Structures are given as C-alpha cells and as structure tokens.
Amino acid sequence: MKINEVIKRTGMSKRTIYYYIEEQFITPEINPDNGYYIFTEKEILILQVLQKLRKADFSIKDIHSILNHPASIHVCIFKHLEELERKKAVLTEQIQSLTAFEKTLPMVVTSDSLLPLLADAKLKNDLPSSD
C-alpha cells in the first residue's frame, strides 16, 4: 500500500512515518518503477505499536530495545513506570506548593508587589539558579 493509505490508517504524518523508516523500525520495499515506498500490513502493525509506546512516553531507544529484544519488555515497562512515578511525585509536590502559595497571595497583585512576593515564596522544587 502507498503512504497515503498508511497515513489514513495510522493517523501519523508523512514526516513521522519517514522518521520511523530512518530509525529502521520499518523497512518498506521501494517500487523500482517510481521510487515510492510499498507498505505491508506488518509495517502498519509496527507503526501502531510505535504510536502506542510513544503516547506512553517511551523513548526511541527503549522502543528499539523492546522491538529488538522482546523479552526485555517487562524490564523496560518496570523502569518506565518507576520513572513516571518519580515524575508524578515531583509534579504532585509542585502542585501542592503552588496551590499553597496561591492561597497566600493578596486579592490584588500589582507590578510593584509581584517580585517581592515571588522572591519571598517558599516554593518546593525551585529551579536551580543560573547565577
């Protein structure tokens, strides 16, 4: 099948499909008459798997590992879940910190009062200073 059919079936952009070809996730044949790619059902399936793993925020490196070494999927998922839990904890702490800070703000904040308020804020997970 041609790339336009692949785009319709996967919802991916042409650019994304070409990227996955460059990354060698799929290797469609090339029509010698016109140079166009010819995609198979297996390549559609691989693209759909890639789409799901990317939506779950797996890295390209991890996806390569999973597809090249299917037995590693349990380890990859476990490590990914640990990282997501870590990020979740950081985000939860930041949300709580900002919510608490927002509750301490006066109803009206002016240009003159904003900087001192922010400077005095005790926000958790502040970004490191670039000084």
Side-chain angles (χ1 to χ4, degrees), residues 51-91:
Q51 203 168 32
K52 288 180 182 187
L53 292 173
R54 289 298 292 146
K55 282 184 180 175
D57 201 31
F58 278 89
S59 69
I60 294 298
K61 179 183 172 188
D62 286 343
I63 295 171
H64 270 296
S65 179
I66 290 168
L67 295 180
N68 292 331
H69 310 284
S72 72
I73 191 165
H74 294 289
V75 173
C76 287
I77 288 175
F78 180 77
K79 287 170 48 178
H80 192 66
L81 284 170
E82 280 185 329
E83 178 61 19
L84 290 175
E85 287 292 339
R86 188 195 64 74
K87 287 179 182 178
K88 178 182 170 185
V90 168
L91 287 172

Side-chain angles (χ1 to χ4, degrees), residues 32-49:
D33 296 332
N34 57 21
Y36 293 168
Y37 287 114
I38 303 168
F39 296 88
T40 64
E41 287 298 322
K42 182 178 180 182
E43 287 157 340
I44 295 289
L45 184 61
I46 292 169
L47 289 171
Q48 290 170 336
V49 168

